[in-house]
């Protein structure tokens, strides 16, 4: 057996986006494509000889083939040890935990998160650093620069590994430990949450739940925790087997794609609590009986009730939300007398704040919530946090949220996505917004007067790094907002995201339909950005 030195030529499109390098499966299947990017990571990270990394993925199409190649490249590049998820399965939160628990150099996670899978679908690679979090921007930019000049990669000449058997394997000097990460992850959750209390909740037979794993990575973890440790009835976890094509499900936990769960939760005999996670297990959607909870509100409610949960009962050091996420959590932070940070979109921006101990909880409107227990968002963690609150309060999701609104006011919130736009017209629309920004402050649209408008830029308070061009914000008097940005995770054309938010203190008016409550702002967004004229679209592709 030997190390093969293989000549290659750069691809021009390997710039990571909001969350790693994400492309069509067919792009990754091109000869040398995956190898070039992996070698770029190894070259840039440097000093990898003898070090340990964790490796695995969300089980989607091309996962196993890619893992076999990466293992051989790692051996050829001198990595000392790989902790590899059994059957190639490793959720993003579990990977983050393993890196932290064992002080690893980092980890490679193969995932395109909530994007569709299968041969026609998407694939992706993320590199996480030693704090367990996604690579910061300077590193992803270095991977990209390296990928533009790469001419060689290294591959160990060895047969494929059997990923189905736990245990240690050797490849040259490197050890590959195939392990089941559900035990480590469950043990972490047991440290944070009151498992006894939740077991009692299920035990008295009056409480029921459905969890939709969407045939993606969380199935094995969810079955072990809910049906195993907490004693929820069998069948609580639906779509619980990770499948390469997710059996046709688009593993994005929202009202459009988690169709089966939404139907169950809207039915006459709906269970008390419903939840779902995405492809790689870092997102969550929380539903009550015939009740949808926005992720922004979820973050605010978790923060307000953190004292009920053992892992957080000592208090929160601060909270953080991405800029487009609603300002509901800001009000909770204000009432608690703690700092609320506003960061650009993407979990990587929370890393420094968490490492510095400035924040305990953080979240994004895009169904992502997490805490300082790891450095990724964590779908099952959010579900357990909610379960723990439900067990402690003995009230329904709806009642808890209604009470929250009465106390703090309600931030009506919705995101409208226009997918698959021509890149040129999407860029022109954003260019137009940037041009008119300066003149907007002071102008009125119906009842709404613009207080401020800018292109969001962020100065990281920990390392001073600055990220510009992070989305157009139009802020109205009375805490209403419209935000426009282009997605950095799509693989086809461009996706315009329009985020709409209106604050309502009047309890009498807090139970309106969200889209109705936001209808004026929806019209103003179209008026300002000329969405219809510039894209030809009358309605968004997805409303969340
Ligand atoms: C989307 C979400 C963002 C999230 C990211 C990765 O990115 O909007 O909040 O961090 O996926 O899960 P976008 O496509 O908007 O760039
Ligand atoms: Zn994800």
């Amino acid at each position: 057996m030997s190390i093969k030195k293989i000549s290659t030529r750069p691809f021009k499109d390997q710039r990571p986006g909001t969350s790693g390098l994400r492309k069509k499966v067919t792009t990754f299947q091109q000869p040398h494509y995956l190898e070039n990017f992996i070698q770029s990571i190894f070259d840039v990270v440097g000093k990898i000889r003898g070090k340990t990394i964790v490796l695995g993925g969300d089980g989607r199409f091309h996962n196993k083939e890619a893992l076999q190649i990466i293992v051989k490249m790692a051996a050829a590049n001198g990595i000392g040890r790989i902790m590899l998820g059994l059957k190639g399965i490793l959720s993003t939160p579990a990977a983050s935990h393993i890196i932290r628990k064992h002080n690893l150099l980092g980890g490679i996670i193969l995932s395109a998160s909530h994007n569709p899978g299968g041969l026609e679908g998407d694939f992706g690679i993320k590199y996480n650093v030693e704090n367990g979090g996604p690579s910061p921007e300077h590193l992803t930019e270095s991977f990209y620069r390296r990928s533009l000049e790469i001419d060689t990669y290294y591959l160990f000449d060895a047969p494929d590994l059997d990923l189905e058997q736990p245990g240690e394997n050797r490849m040259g000097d490197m050890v590959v430990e195939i392990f089941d990460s559900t035990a480590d992850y469950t043990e972490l959750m047991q440290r944070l949450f009151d498992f006894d209390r939740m077991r009692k909740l299920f035990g008295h037979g009056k409480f029921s739940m459905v969890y939709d794993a969407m045939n993606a990575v969380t199935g094995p973890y969810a079955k072990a925790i809910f049906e195993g440790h907490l004693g929820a009835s069998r069948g609580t976890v639906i779509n619980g087997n990770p499948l390469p094509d997710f059996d046709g499900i688009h593993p994005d936990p929202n009202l459009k794609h988690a169709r089966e769960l939404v139907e169950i939760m809207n039915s006459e005999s709906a269970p008390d609590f419903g939840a779902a996670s995405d492809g790689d297990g870092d997102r969550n959607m929380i539903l009550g009986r015939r009740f949808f909870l926005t992720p922004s509100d979820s973050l605010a409610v978790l923060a307000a009730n953190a004292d009920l949960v053992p892992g957080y009962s000592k208090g929160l050091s601060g909270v953080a939300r991405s800029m487009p996420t609603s300002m509901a959590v800001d009000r909770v932070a204000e009432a608690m007398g703690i700092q609320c940070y506003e960061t650009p979109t993407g979990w990587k921006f929370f890393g420094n704040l968490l490492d510095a101990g400035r924040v305990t909880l953080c979240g994004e409107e895009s169904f992502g919530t997490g805490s300082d227990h790891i450095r990724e968002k964590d779908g099952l963690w959010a579900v357990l946090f909610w379960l723990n609150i439900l067990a402690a309060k003995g009230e329904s999701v709806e009642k808890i949220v209604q009470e929250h609104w009465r106390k703090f006011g309600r931030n009506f919130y919705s995101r409208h996505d226009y997918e698959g736009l021509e890149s040129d017209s999407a860029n022109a629309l954003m260019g137009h917004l940037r041009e008119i920004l300066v003149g907007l402050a002071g102008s009125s649209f119906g009842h709404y007067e613009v207080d401020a408008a800018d292109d969001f830029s962020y100065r990281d308070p920990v390392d001073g790094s600055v990220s510009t061009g992070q989305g157009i914000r139009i802020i109205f008097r009375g805490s209403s907002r419209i935000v426009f940005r282009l997605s950095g995770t799509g693989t086809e054309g461009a996706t315009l995201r329009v985020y709409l938010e209106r604050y309502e203190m009047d309890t009498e008016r807090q139970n309106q339909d969200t889209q109705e409550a936001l209808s004026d702002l929806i019209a103003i967004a179209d008026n300002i950005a000329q969405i219809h004229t510039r894209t030809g679209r009358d309605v968004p592709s997805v409303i969340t």
Side-chain angles (χ1 to χ4, degrees):
M1 283 191 280
S2 63
I3 293 171
K4 289 198 283 186
K5 184 175 172 190
I6 297 169
S7 299
T8 185
R9 275 205 303 231
F11 291 87
K12 300 281 174 220
D13 64 345
Q14 298 197 323
R15 178 179 237 148
T18 313
S19 185
L21 181 68
R22 207 173 285 182
K23 300 282 176 196
K24 291 271 159 223
V25 165
T26 44
T27 303
F28 272 103
Q29 284 175 327
Q30 298 172 84
H32 310 308
Y33 193 88
L34 171 93
E35 291 87 342
N36 276 16
F37 191 67
I38 294 292
Q39 188 66 49
S40 301
I41 294 175
F42 288 151
D43 290 351
V44 168
V45 173
K47 297 197 180 124
I48 57 175
R49 197 153 282 282
K51 299 278 173 57
T52 305
I53 60 168
V54 68
L55 175 65
D58 61 14
R60 68 177 57 227
F61 192 85
H62 203 52
N63 189 46
K64 287 187 178 165
E65 293 80 352
L67 287 174
Q68 298 287 0
I69 295 171
I70 295 170
V71 168
K72 291 172 196 172
M73 289 185 66
N77 277 277
I79 292 272
R81 188 181 184 91
I82 291 187
M83 296 182 68
L84 180 56
L86 182 65
K87 302 183 183 182
I89 292 293
L90 190 67
S91 77
T92 289
S96 183
H97 174 52
I98 297 293
I99 294 171
R100 296 169 66 75
K101 181 175 174 186
H102 300 287
N103 294 316
L104 306 188
L105 173 70
I108 298 175
I109 307 166
L110 305 184
S111 161
S113 186
H114 53 289
N115 291 22
L119 174 60
E120 309 281 303
D122 294 345
F123 192 75
I125 302 178
K126 303 191 278 189
Y127 181 75
N128 280 27
V129 294
E130 66 268 337
N131 75 350
S135 303
E137 227 171 25
H138 69 86
L139 210 53
T140 54
E141 280 301 297
S142 303
F143 298 157
Y144 172 56
R145 278 198 303 275
R146 179 66 193 145
S147 77
L148 292 175
E149 57 193 26
I150 195 153
D151 59 9
T152 312
Y153 65 84
Y154 301 91
L155 194 69
F156 204 83
D157 197 5
D160 281 355
L161 285 177
D162 178 1
L163 303 177
E164 308 293 313
Q165 303 302 328
E168 288 199 352
N169 303 261
R170 269 199 170 272
M171 191 174 282
D173 292 334
M174 183 177 82
V175 176
V176 184
E177 177 193 347
I178 298 182
F179 78 112
D180 181 354
S181 65
T182 55
D184 288 295
Y185 181 78
T186 304
E187 188 245 339
L188 174 64
M189 295 301 117
Q190 280 171 318
R191 269 192 273 140
L192 298 172
F193 301 112
D194 191 341
F195 270 48
D196 287 339
R197 199 164 203 174
M198 293 189 277
R199 211 174 293 123
K200 280 193 199 120
L201 181 70
F202 285 110
H204 67 38
K206 288 188 203 129
F207 182 85
S208 56
M209 162 181 176
V210 175
Y211 175 84
D212 190 348
M214 305 189 90
N215 293 322
V217 81
T218 56
Y221 300 86
K223 281 188 207 159
I225 293 175
F226 300 127
E227 297 180 14
H229 291 269
L230 297 179
S233 54
R234 280 192 67 159
T236 294
V237 177
I238 59 170
N239 300 313
N241 294 320
L243 297 172
D245 64 349
F246 309 121
D247 201 19
I249 293 179
H250 181 164
D252 194 354
N254 60 34
L255 292 177
K256 179 170 175 183
H257 296 306
R259 214 172 296 146
E260 191 176 343
L261 175 72
V262 170
E263 255 171 46
I264 295 173
M265 294 309 294
N266 282 338
S267 69
E268 275 309 307
S269 55
D272 300 281
F273 183 52
S277 270
D278 72 331
D280 61 333
D282 56 359
R283 293 186 174 205
N284 73 91
M285 176 170 70
I286 301 292
L287 300 173
R289 183 180 282 148
R290 294 182 285 283
F291 184 80
F292 169 69
L293 177 66
T294 68
S296 297
D297 276 344
S298 178
L299 175 64
V301 174
L302 298 190
N305 292 283
D307 58 331
L308 300 174
V309 175
Y312 303 90
S313 57
K314 289 204 190 84
L316 307 176
S317 59
V319 291
R321 61 164 173 84
S322 66
M323 181 274 281
T325 302
S326 102
M327 298 187 287
V329 73
D330 301 39
R331 298 185 182 273
V332 177
E334 202 187 335
M336 289 176 137
I338 57 174
Q339 186 79 26
C340 176
Y341 295 86
E342 184 176 41
T343 60
T345 297
W347 209 259
K348 58 187 174 221
F349 293 101
F350 294 133
N352 279 347
L353 298 172
L354 291 163
D355 283 349
R358 291 190 186 221
V359 304
T360 310
L361 294 187
C362 41
E364 294 193 274
E365 51 66 41
S366 52
F367 299 86
T369 333
S371 88
D372 58 359
H373 69 294
I374 53 170
R375 293 296 179 271
E376 287 277 5
K377 53 190 178 247
D378 190 344
L380 280 169
W381 167 91
V383 179
L384 286 166
F385 206 127
W386 262 99
L387 259 186
N388 198 148
I389 291 175
L390 294 176
K393 280 178 119 46
E395 288 165 357
S396 71
V397 175
E398 181 168 3
K399 176 124 192 284
I400 292 171
V401 177
Q402 298 271 7
E403 268 171 17
H404 185 94
W405 291 338
R406 262 197 291 281
K407 185 165 172 196
F408 295 98
R410 176 171 182 187
N411 292 67
F412 282 103
Y413 185 84
S414 183
R415 184 176 102 184
H416 290 194
D417 292 336
Y418 296 83
E419 295 175 346
L421 302 179
E422 298 271 333
S423 293
D424 288 348
S425 45
N427 287 328
L429 183 150
M430 292 301 287
H432 157 74
L433 284 171
R434 285 194 184 96
E435 265 167 37
I436 60 165
L437 261 187
V438 247
L440 276 181
S443 49
S444 288
F445 298 85
H447 303 304
Y448 291 90
E449 192 189 330
V450 180
D451 196 13
D454 66 1
D455 191 352
F456 182 62
S457 81
Y458 176 68
R459 186 174 183 280
D460 185 307
V462 179
D463 67 12
S465 59
V466 174
S467 303
T468 56
Q470 297 294 327
I472 305 291
R473 288 194 292 190
I474 300 174
I475 304 166
F476 300 93
R477 292 204 190 286
S479 294
S480 294
R481 296 192 307 169
I482 304 174
V483 173
F484 300 91
R485 59 181 282 283
L486 296 184
S487 157
T489 57
T491 57
E492 253 175 57
T495 295
L496 170 69
R497 304 205 193 285
V498 184
Y499 309 80
L500 305 136
E501 174 173 5
R502 197 193 107 200
Y503 182 62
E504 182 60 71
M505 270 161 60
D506 183 352
T507 48
E508 299 290 305
R509 294 156 58 109
Q510 284 175 353
N511 281 319
Q512 292 171 73
D513 170 74
T514 300
Q515 300 305 317
E516 256 169 56
L518 295 171
S519 57
D520 287 349
L521 284 173
I522 294 169
I524 295 171
D526 185 52
N527 177 350
I528 295 180
Q530 306 171 343
I531 301 173
H532 173 68
T533 329
R534 288 176 176 273
T535 68
R537 301 284 175 89
D538 289 322
V539 284
S541 331
V542 184
I543 294 180
T544 48

